[in-house]
Amino acid sequence: VFTYPNLQETKDFDITVTPHYGNYTSGSASASFTGVYLQPKMTMTLTLNPTSAKTGEEITVSVKLVDAATGEPVSSASVALTVNLADGSFAHDTGTTDSNGEFTTTMTVSKITGDTATATVTASATAAGYASASQKADATITAQKSPDISFVGIIGVMAIVALLGLARRRTH
């Protein structure tokens, strides 16, 4: 096993081995290989709360980043958010994680086609010294129903009739 301490980039190596043992004739062997630097990984948790809402209602979008090896928060990471629905928007679609490794904003979907739609939020994050991370989460969006005009009309007529009836009693 060959370990190269503090490898910070991918690097090519050449090794020559010359064994010596007692009175045996020594020889040598050479090999070339590439040492690959593996960036530390961060783990992302993407949370939508609530996971179902009506059009026009806010959904809280939270991203938390931690070092995959240590569990320590990854602060100052850049976060970018996208949503698959054309009428979905974020209060802030980019930002930076705080000292707890968290970035939070809100999302609203103003309208959808049909009665329900799935809003798929994608979060992508980059941080110095780490491999990038991304995750997706879904929320169900339900169209707000506008009041039934005929029902509103009936209630309005009933209110007018009731008011006329009260006014008529007062005049007699």
Side-chain angles (χ1 to χ4, degrees):
V1 175
F2 174 75
T3 303
Y4 186 91
N6 300 319
L7 182 64
Q8 296 294 311
E9 61 186 8
T10 298
K11 185 175 181 177
D12 291 325
F13 294 94
D14 293 315
I15 286 186
T16 301
V17 177
T18 306
H20 297 279
Y21 184 74
N23 292 330
Y24 292 98
T25 305
S26 64
S28 63
S30 296
S32 296
F33 66 95
T34 301
V36 178
Y37 172 64
L38 299 175
Q39 286 185 305
K41 294 182 180 177
M42 46 184 175
T43 301
M44 176 187 286
T45 303
L46 172 61
T47 306
L48 306 180
N49 187 26
T51 56
S52 62
K54 293 181 179 170
T55 51
E57 294 180 345
E58 286 188 348
I59 295 175
T60 300
V61 179
S62 301
V63 175
K64 181 163 179 73
L65 296 170
V66 297
D67 184 293
T70 66
E72 292 295 314
V74 178
S75 61
S76 301
S78 296
V79 177
L81 301 171
T82 60
V83 62
N84 65 317
L85 298 177
D87 292 303
S89 61
F90 300 96
H92 303 282
D93 61 357
T94 61
T96 305
T97 56
D98 62 17
S99 61
N100 296 316
E102 297 175 355
F103 169 72
T104 302
T105 189
T106 57
M107 175 185 74
T108 306
V109 177
S110 60
K111 64 182 177 178
I112 58 172
T113 303
D115 292 336
T116 61
T118 300
T120 301
V121 174
T122 303
S124 301
T126 58
Y130 287 94
S132 60
S134 66
Q135 190 173 27
K136 294 182 180 191
D138 292 336
T140 301
I141 309 298
T142 305
Q144 291 244 23
K145 299 288 184 186
S146 55
D148 185 354
I149 300 301
S150 61
F151 177 74
V152 171
I154 292 171
I155 297 297
V157 169
M158 290 174 56
I160 291 170
V161 169
L163 287 173
L164 288 174
L166 286 173
R168 192 170 178 205
R169 282 190 201 165
R170 290 188 178 191
T171 59
H172 292 345

